[in-house]
C-alpha cells in the first residue's frame, strides 16, 4: 500500500469499515510511515471532536425542548 491509498482509507479505518485484508495492509503502512501515521492521528482527533460536538448539540437540543415545554 502506498501513501495515497492509505490517505484514502483513513476515514474508513477510523469508522471501522475496512475488511480484514485492507485493514492489515493499511495498519502495516501506518506502522511504517511516520507521515501517514501523523495525518491519521490528526484525522482521528478531528473525527473524535466532531462526534463530541454532535453529542453536545443533541444534548443542548434536548435541554431546549424541555425548557420550551416548561415555559408553555
Amino acid at each position: 500500500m502506498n501513501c495515497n491509498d492509505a490517505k484514502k482509507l483513513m476515514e474508513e479505518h477510523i469508522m471501522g469499515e475496512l475488511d480484514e485484508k485492507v485493514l492489515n495492509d493499511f495498519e502495516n503502512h501506518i506502522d511504517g510511515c511516520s507521515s501517514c501515521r501523523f495525518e491519521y492521528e490528526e484525522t482521528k482527533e478531528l473525527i473524535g471532536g466532531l462526534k463530541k460536538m454532535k453529542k453536545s448539540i443533541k444534548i443542548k437540543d434536548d435541554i431546549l425542548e424541555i425548557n420550551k415545554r416548561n415555559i408553555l
Side-chain angles (χ1 to χ4, degrees), residues 13-72:
H13 181 271
I14 293 166
M15 303 305 283
E17 298 173 348
L18 296 179
D19 66 46
E20 190 173 334
K21 166 77 171 100
V22 177
L23 175 67
N24 289 332
D25 290 344
F26 177 83
E27 289 180 346
N28 286 335
H29 180 81
I30 292 295
D31 288 342
C33 179
S34 60
S35 175
C36 284
R37 185 172 43 252
F38 179 78
E39 187 169 337
Y40 172 77
E41 291 300 326
E42 283 189 325
T43 303
K44 185 176 176 181
E45 187 176 322
L46 177 63
I47 289 173
L50 291 172
K51 285 181 179 180
K52 286 180 186 177
M53 186 186 313
K54 182 178 177 184
K55 288 179 186 176
S56 176
I57 291 169
K58 175 67 175 142
I59 291 169
K60 288 178 184 175
D61 287 346
D62 290 345
I63 292 170
L64 181 60
E65 187 62 35
I66 290 168
N67 287 334
K68 282 181 184 178
R69 280 187 257 146
N70 289 336
I71 292 170
L72 296 174

